[in-house]
Amino acid sequence: MAGTDVFTEIVDGEQVYKYYADGEWKKSASGKSVSIVNPTTRQTQYKVQACTQEEVNKVMEAAKTAQKLWARTPLWKRAEHLHKAAAILKEHRAPIAVCLVKEIAKPAKDAVTEVVRSGDLVSYTAEEGVRILGEGKLLVSDSFPGNERSKYCLSSKVPLGVVLAIPPFNYPVNLAVSKIAPALIAGNSLVLKPPTQGAVAALHMIQCFHLAGFPKGLISCVTGKGSEIGDFLTMHPGVNCISFTGGDTGIAISKKAGMIPLQMELGGKDACIVLEDADLDLVASNIVKGGYSYSGQRCTAVKVVLVMESVVDAVVEKVKSKMAKLSVGSPEDDCDITPVVSESSANFIEGLVMDAKEKGATFCQEYRREGNLIWPLLLDHVRPDMRIAWEEPFGPVLPVIRISSVEEGIHHCNASNFGLQGCVFTRDINKAILISDAMETGTVQINSAPARGPDHFPFQGLKDSGIGSQGITNSINMMTKIKSTVINLPSPSYTMG
Ligand SMILES: NC(=O)c1ccc[n+]([C@@H]2O[C@H](COP(=O)([O-])OP(=O)(O)OC[C@H]3O[C@@H](n4cnc5c(N)ncnc54)[C@H](O)[C@@H]3O)[C@@H](O)[C@H]2O)c1
């Protein structure tokens, strides 16, 4: 297993992690740092540089210059660099996973999985890029009325320029590489602004890309408070594309960004609709896995359960007995339920729980919280007048709404301002397809909890859940534009002979 020695250059003498620009690790001229609080101990764990706007300007300039040369680098060579980065990343999964445990309280095994999955994503993107970017299109003019065959149009995909990537705290490595790899294979340069919680894991990941030998300036990583350098970055004239994953901040960015392509993966309120004929054991295990993995801090977590009256008591009982087996504690011990990312997040979750309590929801377990650690809670008899019926807790609390018809479930799902994923449990595949068609979400899972992966599947949200579609192929395409070259012949090409 690779050690931590390769990461010593990314931290300064005062143990503040440096930012990455122009192929080097640097200290910010601001002399200021941003603290990263360990969600478990609630003590400062790490510090990162608070970059200045001037430093952002320099990064953008370097990214623009480096991109021009990178775009001329043969596609197979770009892929080779990415494969190398993927291998280095996987080799250093252990020290990166430690950062994920300390910064975002991700259970230890899941933290390793995130890094390995990220390496796989980078390699797959390199493979996919070589295939799809190596293909173009030929059009001939005589298929359109009034034209002879005197024009040949060759179209291919070319890079956009500088891509700005902003991932969220919950998958700071995976949701960074899901932007970095497609941007690079397509010939773009990349500026990463990691989330504060997760920044150090992201900086370690960037060091793996550095070790893979990408040209100077092609990749940069600036750290600082989103609220301080965020707007400056997203409204920067040097940015040609923004790929963002996070919450409502993405809606604000979409309104402020200029006329550039945007990829927005935002929040969700993924509904799980359970019909009378469903396999209730399958339902219960998917609700527990879907609702409580990583303490519910996943965009595709099950966030509201809508169950037909006739089976709801059985579902609740089965879910309760499985929940009793969830371990609660520290991420180092690989517990199922670990502290949520911050005190403000825990307070927000508690606010939703108390609102539901005041309005008459039934608690299936006792509500318990110690610091940022919230014990898993199932709320039954939730009604539409409760906030938790609509809002995204991003914590281990899950509402159950009893429904008397499938239409009622679909109506609740579609009345949400979110539209990320949803799922339906039934043994009747014909009915499942009808329900899938009626649900206004980017994806509907039949007989499984919502999930983002495998990472090459299309992934998209409707309404406030996002703009555009992701998944490896879609992301590569999104980070390119079509360029056409038209060959104009002096006479139609079929006149000879
Ligand atoms: N749809 C998806 O694929 C997906 C995946 C994971 C998480 N999410 C969503 O992300 C949210 C949780 O993540 P979060 O709390 O990190 O989200 P967030 O919106 O608070 O932050 C996301 C990122 O934006 C940065 N940021 C904050 N203010 C900014 C500004 N003014 N300009 C530019 N950047 C700024 C943050 O530093 C962070 O890197 C949830 O709503 C979850 O559903 C969505």
Side-chain angles (χ1 to χ4, degrees), residues 8-196:
T8 48
E9 68 172 301
I10 78 173
V11 63
D12 72 14
E14 285 111 47
Q15 294 302 302
V16 180
Y17 280 84
K18 299 179 190 168
Y19 75 104
Y20 184 67
D22 228 1
E24 287 172 25
W25 291 97
K26 299 185 178 190
K27 285 176 76 163
S28 169
S30 73
K32 291 187 195 151
S33 62
V34 179
S35 296
I36 298 167
V37 175
N38 180 323
T40 311
T41 62
R42 292 192 289 158
Q43 305 291 316
T44 296
Q45 181 76 44
Y46 302 116
K47 285 182 181 172
V48 292
Q49 308 290 323
C51 290
T52 64
Q53 296 188 351
E54 191 43 45
E55 283 156 351
V56 168
N57 281 337
K58 282 193 183 145
V59 154
M60 291 298 170
E61 216 30 64
K64 193 175 173 184
T65 309
Q67 191 270 325
K68 302 270 182 248
L69 282 175
W70 183 244
R72 292 179 201 157
T73 304
L75 190 47
W76 66 266
K77 255 193 185 170
R78 290 186 227 153
E80 207 171 69
H81 274 88
L82 285 170
H83 282 303
K84 199 167 171 194
I88 298 171
L89 191 58
K90 283 162 95 167
E91 194 188 338
H92 294 90
R93 59 191 175 278
I96 301 175
V98 169
C99 303
L100 293 171
V101 168
K102 303 276 184 220
E103 283 183 286
I104 59 164
K106 183 159 281 195
K109 269 193 208 143
D110 294 350
V112 173
T113 305
E114 175 172 347
V115 183
V116 174
R117 172 184 174 187
S118 300
D120 290 339
L121 191 156
V122 174
S123 294
Y124 190 104
T125 307
E127 297 285 335
E128 184 74 345
V130 165
R131 305 282 166 262
I132 65 172
L133 295 165
E135 279 183 3
K137 209 171 177 183
L138 166 69
L139 290 164
V140 289
S141 49
D142 66 329
S143 52
F144 198 86
N147 285 272
E148 296 284 0
R149 187 174 288 215
S150 55
K151 290 174 188 284
Y152 280 62
C153 175
L154 301 171
S155 71
S156 61
K157 290 169 191 156
V158 296
L160 295 173
V162 179
V163 174
L164 172 64
I166 306 181
F169 82 82
N170 58 345
Y171 290 88
V173 175
N174 185 258
L175 292 178
V177 299
S178 72
K179 305 171 188 313
I180 295 172
L184 295 180
I185 193 69
N188 300 287
S189 57
L190 191 285
V191 177
L192 175 70
K193 208 298 290 165
T196 300

Side-chain angles (χ1 to χ4, degrees), residues 166-170 175 193-196 226-227 230-231 234 244-249 253 265-268 299 303 392 394 420 452 459 465:
I166 306 181
F169 82 82
N170 58 345
L175 292 178
K193 208 298 290 165
T196 300
S227 51
D231 280 357
T234 55
F244 175 94
T245 308
D248 288 351
T249 318
I253 291 174
E265 307 184 73
L266 310 182
C299 57
K303 292 188 184 125
E392 183 186 31
F394 234 58
L420 192 57
R452 185 193 170 86
F459 182 66
S465 290

